[in-house]
PDB file of all heavy atoms in Angstrom:
ATOM      1  N   ARG M 370     128.606  41.849  86.595  1.00 79.00           N
ATOM      2  CA  ARG M 370     129.123  40.817  85.653  1.00 79.00           C
ATOM      3  C   ARG M 370     129.408  41.464  84.264  1.00 79.00           C
ATOM      4  O   ARG M 370     130.342  41.058  83.543  1.00 79.00           O
ATOM      5  CB  ARG M 370     128.127  39.697  85.469  1.00 79.00           C
ATOM      6  CG  ARG M 370     128.696  38.430  84.868  1.00 79.00           C
ATOM      7  CD  ARG M 370     129.315  37.555  85.949  1.00 79.00           C
ATOM      8  NE  ARG M 370     130.261  36.578  85.331  1.00 79.00           N
ATOM      9  CZ  ARG M 370     130.800  35.602  86.000  1.00 79.00           C
ATOM     10  NH1 ARG M 370     130.498  35.400  87.268  1.00 79.00           N
ATOM     11  NH2 ARG M 370     131.684  34.799  85.421  1.00 79.00           N
ATOM     12  N   ALA M 371     128.615  42.465  83.863  1.00 76.00           N
ATOM     13  CA  ALA M 371     128.782  43.039  82.550  1.00 76.00           C
ATOM     14  C   ALA M 371     129.916  44.030  82.509  1.00 76.00           C
ATOM     15  O   ALA M 371     130.349  44.598  83.537  1.00 76.00           O
ATOM     16  CB  ALA M 371     127.483  43.783  82.159  1.00 76.00           C
ATOM     17  N   SER M 372     130.498  44.239  81.284  1.00 75.00           N
ATOM     18  CA  SER M 372     131.484  45.289  81.083  1.00 75.00           C
ATOM     19  C   SER M 372     130.801  46.678  81.231  1.00 75.00           C
ATOM     20  O   SER M 372     129.715  46.859  80.739  1.00 75.00           O
ATOM     21  CB  SER M 372     132.061  45.159  79.716  1.00 75.00           C
ATOM     22  OG  SER M 372     132.687  43.898  79.537  1.00 75.00           O
ATOM     23  N   PRO M 373     131.463  47.592  81.986  1.00 71.00           N
ATOM     24  CA  PRO M 373     130.813  48.884  82.288  1.00 71.00           C
ATOM     25  C   PRO M 373     130.349  49.658  81.040  1.00 71.00           C
ATOM     26  O   PRO M 373     129.225  50.202  81.038  1.00 71.00           O
ATOM     27  CB  PRO M 373     131.922  49.678  82.980  1.00 71.00           C
ATOM     28  CG  PRO M 373     132.799  48.604  83.574  1.00 71.00           C
ATOM     29  CD  PRO M 373     132.765  47.474  82.615  1.00 71.00           C
ATOM     30  N   ASP M 374     131.134  49.627  79.955  1.00 70.00           N
ATOM     31  CA  ASP M 374     130.758  50.401  78.782  1.00 70.00           C
ATOM     32  C   ASP M 374     129.664  49.677  77.889  1.00 70.00           C
ATOM     33  O   ASP M 374     129.187  50.222  76.928  1.00 70.00           O
ATOM     34  CB  ASP M 374     131.959  50.690  77.901  1.00 70.00           C
ATOM     35  CG  ASP M 374     132.669  49.464  77.432  1.00 70.00           C
ATOM     36  OD1 ASP M 374     132.545  48.401  78.127  1.00 70.00           O
ATOM     37  OD2 ASP M 374     133.378  49.536  76.386  1.00 70.00           O
ATOM     38  N   LYS M 375     129.320  48.440  78.312  1.00 72.00           N
ATOM     39  CA  LYS M 375     128.321  47.682  77.553  1.00 72.00           C
ATOM     40  C   LYS M 375     127.131  47.357  78.428  1.00 72.00           C
ATOM     41  O   LYS M 375     126.362  46.464  78.071  1.00 72.00           O
ATOM     42  CB  LYS M 375     128.976  46.397  76.968  1.00 72.00           C
ATOM     43  CG  LYS M 375     130.144  46.640  76.015  1.00 72.00           C
ATOM     44  CD  LYS M 375     130.815  45.345  75.722  1.00 72.00           C
ATOM     45  CE  LYS M 375     132.094  45.581  74.879  1.00 72.00           C
ATOM     46  NZ  LYS M 375     132.916  44.370  74.692  1.00 72.00           N
ATOM     47  N   TYR M 376     126.994  48.031  79.494  1.00 74.00           N
ATOM     48  CA  TYR M 376     125.946  47.728  80.429  1.00 74.00           C
ATOM     49  C   TYR M 376     124.558  47.901  79.799  1.00 74.00           C
ATOM     50  O   TYR M 376     123.611  47.093  80.061  1.00 74.00           O
ATOM     51  CB  TYR M 376     126.049  48.607  81.692  1.00 74.00           C
ATOM     52  CG  TYR M 376     124.854  48.436  82.632  1.00 74.00           C
ATOM     53  CD1 TYR M 376     124.660  47.231  83.325  1.00 74.00           C
ATOM     54  CD2 TYR M 376     123.936  49.448  82.774  1.00 74.00           C
ATOM     55  CE1 TYR M 376     123.567  47.084  84.166  1.00 74.00           C
ATOM     56  CE2 TYR M 376     122.833  49.339  83.628  1.00 74.00           C
ATOM     57  CZ  TYR M 376     122.659  48.160  84.315  1.00 74.00           C
ATOM     58  OH  TYR M 376     121.565  47.981  85.118  1.00 74.00           O
ATOM     59  N   ASP M 377     124.351  48.948  79.014  1.00 71.00           N
ATOM     60  CA  ASP M 377     123.033  49.165  78.397  1.00 71.00           C
ATOM     61  C   ASP M 377     122.632  48.037  77.503  1.00 71.00           C
ATOM     62  O   ASP M 377     121.450  47.614  77.499  1.00 71.00           O
ATOM     63  CB  ASP M 377     122.992  50.475  77.613  1.00 71.00           C
ATOM     64  CG  ASP M 377     124.071  50.590  76.580  1.00 71.00           C
ATOM     65  OD1 ASP M 377     125.084  49.884  76.671  1.00 71.00           O
ATOM     66  OD2 ASP M 377     123.923  51.400  75.639  1.00 71.00           O
ATOM     67  N   VAL M 378     123.578  47.460  76.752  1.00 74.00           N
ATOM     68  CA  VAL M 378     123.277  46.338  75.883  1.00 74.00           C
ATOM     69  C   VAL M 378     122.951  45.109  76.731  1.00 74.00           C
ATOM     70  O   VAL M 378     121.987  44.394  76.492  1.00 74.00           O
ATOM     71  CB  VAL M 378     124.483  46.013  74.987  1.00 74.00           C
ATOM     72  CG1 VAL M 378     124.233  44.751  74.127  1.00 74.00           C
ATOM     73  CG2 VAL M 378     124.761  47.204  74.097  1.00 74.00           C
ATOM     74  N   ALA M 379     123.748  44.852  77.760  1.00 79.00           N
ATOM     75  CA  ALA M 379     123.481  43.738  78.654  1.00 79.00           C
ATOM     76  C   ALA M 379     122.177  43.853  79.345  1.00 79.00           C
ATOM     77  O   ALA M 379     121.402  42.882  79.459  1.00 79.00           O
ATOM     78  CB  ALA M 379     124.679  43.578  79.710  1.00 79.00           C
ATOM     79  N   TYR M 380     121.832  45.017  79.809  1.00 78.00           N
ATOM     80  CA  TYR M 380     120.577  45.286  80.465  1.00 78.00           C
ATOM     81  C   TYR M 380     119.384  45.071  79.616  1.00 78.00           C
ATOM     82  O   TYR M 380     118.380  44.382  79.972  1.00 78.00           O
ATOM     83  CB  TYR M 380     120.547  46.729  81.035  1.00 78.00           C
ATOM     84  CG  TYR M 380     119.262  47.058  81.784  1.00 78.00           C
ATOM     85  CD1 TYR M 380     119.142  46.680  83.126  1.00 78.00           C
ATOM     86  CD2 TYR M 380     118.257  47.837  81.167  1.00 78.00           C
ATOM     87  CE1 TYR M 380     117.984  46.997  83.843  1.00 78.00           C
ATOM     88  CE2 TYR M 380     117.101  48.147  81.905  1.00 78.00           C
ATOM     89  CZ  TYR M 380     117.008  47.729  83.202  1.00 78.00           C
ATOM     90  OH  TYR M 380     115.823  48.054  83.892  1.00 78.00           O
ATOM     91  N   ALA M 381     119.488  45.551  78.340  1.00 77.00           N
ATOM     92  CA  ALA M 381     118.346  45.355  77.429  1.00 77.00           C
ATOM     93  C   ALA M 381     118.167  43.912  77.035  1.00 77.00           C
ATOM     94  O   ALA M 381     117.070  43.411  76.968  1.00 77.00           O
ATOM     95  CB  ALA M 381     118.648  46.187  76.141  1.00 77.00           C
ATOM     96  N   THR M 382     119.267  43.186  76.840  1.00 80.00           N
ATOM     97  CA  THR M 382     119.169  41.771  76.506  1.00 80.00           C
ATOM     98  C   THR M 382     118.571  40.977  77.640  1.00 80.00           C
ATOM     99  O   THR M 382     117.713  40.152  77.422  1.00 80.00           O
ATOM    100  CB  THR M 382     120.571  41.227  76.170  1.00 80.00           C
ATOM    101  OG1 THR M 382     121.111  42.012  75.073  1.00 80.00           O
ATOM    102  CG2 THR M 382     120.427  39.759  75.702  1.00 80.00           C
ATOM    103  N   ASP M 383     119.010  41.316  78.847  1.00 83.00           N
ATOM    104  CA  ASP M 383     118.468  40.622  80.021  1.00 83.00           C
ATOM    105  C   ASP M 383     116.996  40.856  80.145  1.00 83.00           C
ATOM    106  O   ASP M 383     116.247  39.917  80.598  1.00 83.00           O
ATOM    107  CB  ASP M 383     119.218  41.131  81.262  1.00 83.00           C
ATOM    108  CG  ASP M 383     118.672  40.515  82.554  1.00 83.00           C
ATOM    109  OD1 ASP M 383     118.985  39.324  82.773  1.00 83.00           O
ATOM    110  OD2 ASP M 383     118.055  41.199  83.313  1.00 83.00           O
ATOM    111  N   LYS M 384     116.539  42.007  79.835  1.00 81.00           N
ATOM    112  CA  LYS M 384     115.097  42.320  79.974  1.00 81.00           C
ATOM    113  C   LYS M 384     114.244  41.618  78.967  1.00 81.00           C
ATOM    114  O   LYS M 384     113.062  41.294  79.210  1.00 81.00           O
ATOM    115  CB  LYS M 384     114.878  43.817  79.913  1.00 81.00           C
ATOM    116  CG  LYS M 384     115.411  44.597  81.097  1.00 81.00           C
ATOM    117  CD  LYS M 384     115.021  43.894  82.428  1.00 81.00           C
ATOM    118  CE  LYS M 384     115.764  44.497  83.629  1.00 81.00           C
ATOM    119  NZ  LYS M 384     115.541  43.718  84.867  1.00 81.00           N
ATOM    120  N   ILE M 385     114.820  41.308  77.797  1.00 81.00           N
ATOM    121  CA  ILE M 385     114.066  40.468  76.821  1.00 81.00           C
ATOM    122  C   ILE M 385     113.835  39.083  77.407  1.00 81.00           C
ATOM    123  O   ILE M 385     112.764  38.492  77.391  1.00 81.00           O
ATOM    124  CB  ILE M 385     114.865  40.339  75.488  1.00 81.00           C
ATOM    125  CG1 ILE M 385     114.722  41.624  74.723  1.00 81.00           C
ATOM    126  CG2 ILE M 385     114.274  39.227  74.650  1.00 81.00           C
ATOM    127  CD1 ILE M 385     115.278  41.548  73.319  1.00 81.00           C
ATOM    128  N   VAL M 386     114.945  38.499  77.971  1.00 85.00           N
ATOM    129  CA  VAL M 386     114.883  37.221  78.570  1.00 85.00           C
ATOM    130  C   VAL M 386     113.875  37.210  79.742  1.00 85.00           C
ATOM    131  O   VAL M 386     113.036  36.300  79.882  1.00 85.00           O
ATOM    132  CB  VAL M 386     116.251  36.761  79.075  1.00 85.00           C
ATOM    133  CG1 VAL M 386     116.185  35.455  79.840  1.00 85.00           C
ATOM    134  CG2 VAL M 386     117.215  36.557  77.869  1.00 85.00           C
ATOM    135  N   ALA M 387     113.958  38.232  80.592  1.00 83.00           N
ATOM    136  CA  ALA M 387     113.025  38.384  81.683  1.00 83.00           C
ATOM    137  C   ALA M 387     111.582  38.521  81.205  1.00 83.00           C
ATOM    138  O   ALA M 387     110.653  37.983  81.810  1.00 83.00           O
ATOM    139  CB  ALA M 387     113.369  39.600  82.549  1.00 83.00           C
ATOM    140  N   GLY M 388     111.397  39.225  80.090  1.00 79.00           N
ATOM    141  CA  GLY M 388     110.075  39.424  79.541  1.00 79.00           C
ATOM    142  C   GLY M 388     109.471  38.050  79.079  1.00 79.00           C
ATOM    143  O   GLY M 388     108.300  37.751  79.306  1.00 79.00           O
ATOM    144  N   ILE M 389     110.284  37.232  78.451  1.00 85.00           N
ATOM    145  CA  ILE M 389     109.807  35.913  78.057  1.00 85.00           C
ATOM    146  C   ILE M 389     109.427  35.087  79.283  1.00 85.00           C
ATOM    147  O   ILE M 389     108.434  34.390  79.310  1.00 85.00           O
ATOM    148  CB  ILE M 389     110.875  35.188  77.199  1.00 85.00           C
ATOM    149  CG1 ILE M 389     111.174  35.974  75.926  1.00 85.00           C
ATOM    150  CG2 ILE M 389     110.427  33.770  76.891  1.00 85.00           C
ATOM    151  CD1 ILE M 389     112.326  35.447  75.122  1.00 85.00           C
ATOM    152  N   GLY M 390     110.285  35.188  80.341  1.00 85.00           N
ATOM    153  CA  GLY M 390     109.989  34.498  81.577  1.00 85.00           C
ATOM    154  C   GLY M 390     108.663  34.965  82.211  1.00 85.00           C
ATOM    155  O   GLY M 390     107.928  34.126  82.701  1.00 85.00           O
ATOM    156  N   THR M 391     108.482  36.255  82.225  1.00 80.00           N
ATOM    157  CA  THR M 391     107.205  36.797  82.871  1.00 80.00           C
ATOM    158  C   THR M 391     105.981  36.313  82.065  1.00 80.00           C
ATOM    159  O   THR M 391     104.988  35.944  82.691  1.00 80.00           O
ATOM    160  CB  THR M 391     107.199  38.236  83.021  1.00 80.00           C
ATOM    161  OG1 THR M 391     107.483  38.856  81.727  1.00 80.00           O
ATOM    162  CG2 THR M 391     108.286  38.723  83.982  1.00 80.00           C
ATOM    163  N   PHE M 392     106.102  36.383  80.774  1.00 79.00           N
ATOM    164  CA  PHE M 392     104.927  35.967  79.970  1.00 79.00           C
ATOM    165  C   PHE M 392     104.645  34.442  80.147  1.00 79.00           C
ATOM    166  O   PHE M 392     103.447  34.071  80.378  1.00 79.00           O
ATOM    167  CB  PHE M 392     105.153  36.240  78.485  1.00 79.00           C
ATOM    168  CG  PHE M 392     104.043  35.724  77.594  1.00 79.00           C
ATOM    169  CD1 PHE M 392     102.856  36.383  77.506  1.00 79.00           C
ATOM    170  CD2 PHE M 392     104.200  34.544  76.884  1.00 79.00           C
ATOM    171  CE1 PHE M 392     101.818  35.935  76.697  1.00 79.00           C
ATOM    172  CE2 PHE M 392     103.207  34.056  76.079  1.00 79.00           C
ATOM    173  CZ  PHE M 392     102.025  34.759  75.980  1.00 79.00           C
TER     174      PHE M 392
END
Side-chain angles (χ1 to χ4, degrees):
R370 197 87 199 190
S372 301
D374 60 334
K375 301 170 185 173
Y376 172 69
D377 55 338
V378 176
Y380 180 80
T382 305
D383 178 72
K384 291 312 171 189
I385 284 186
V386 174
I389 297 172
T391 54
F392 176 76

